[in-house]
Amino acid sequence: SMPDRYYKQTYSNVDIFALDTSSIFFDGLGEPFPSEYSDLTDAQASWLQGEWAGGSTGEWRFAYGHHPILSNGPHGNAGWYEGFPLIPFVSGMEIEDFMNDNVCGNVDFYLCGHDHGRQYMQDTCNGTQLIVSGAGAKTTSIDGTQPTFFEDASTEGFFFFEVDGNTLTVEVWDVSGVMNDSWIITK
């Protein structure tokens, strides 16, 4: 169920924040394009700041959106998408700025797709762990060299999360039903 362009779902001690990263991405177009994108970006930022100020009470926090913060896939990192750092719209500078200002350090995990591979990045975003899981239907390539705990673009698959109190289990599965790796994180 997608009740809105961005929203929160709570399950027991887990708050999950769905973000409309496409509106943030297109916010970089500027005039003469519709101000709707800027309005949506500003509204999401205000909403998240309200959540961090007391609306979110989950022991675990996840956020997800389409666009990555960091990725070894063909699209690359926010602010440098497609290898174009100086073109705001194409480079994903709006994504980078929004994530740094509103998401990084406020959630435990940020999950995304955009690149068609499975990556669990070693670098974090102010402590927020980053996962790219865009290999549900197809794979592309791994072009970058950023350190990862796990990465694969040779077969389709997904990440699976299980929360039990203050313990989180992360598993990586492939299309054949083989678990490729797993981690246990305790708060």
Side-chain angles (χ1 to χ4, degrees), residues 5-6 13 18-19 58 63 66 73 89 92 108 112 127 129 134 141 161 164 168 175 179 182 184:
R5 305 252 339 218
Y6 55 90
N13 65 336
L19 305 178
H66 180 78
F89 166 64
D108 299 294
C112 67
Q129 298 189 50
S141 60
F161 299 85
D164 184 10
L168 170 74
V175 70
M179 184 171 57
S182 67
I184 296 176

Side-chain angles (χ1 to χ4, degrees), residues 164-181:
D164 184 10
N166 68 341
T167 302
L168 170 74
T169 303
V170 181
E171 299 174 347
V172 186
W173 291 84
D174 70 21
V175 70
S176 301
V178 174
M179 184 171 57
N180 303 128
D181 213 334

Side-chain angles (χ1 to χ4, degrees), residues 143-154:
D143 300 335
T145 59
Q146 297 171 102
T148 60
F149 295 114
F150 178 90
E151 74 178 3
D152 178 72
S154 65

Side-chain angles (χ1 to χ4, degrees), residues 66 68 71-76 112-119 132-143 151-157 159:
H66 180 78
S71 174
N72 282 332
H75 292 301
C112 67
H114 199 48
D115 281 320
H116 296 277
R118 297 175 293 154
Q119 306 171 54
V132 178
S133 184
K138 70 177 185 176
T139 59
T140 51
S141 60
I142 299 292
D143 300 335
E151 74 178 3
D152 178 72
S154 65
T155 187
E156 294 88 356
F159 283 81

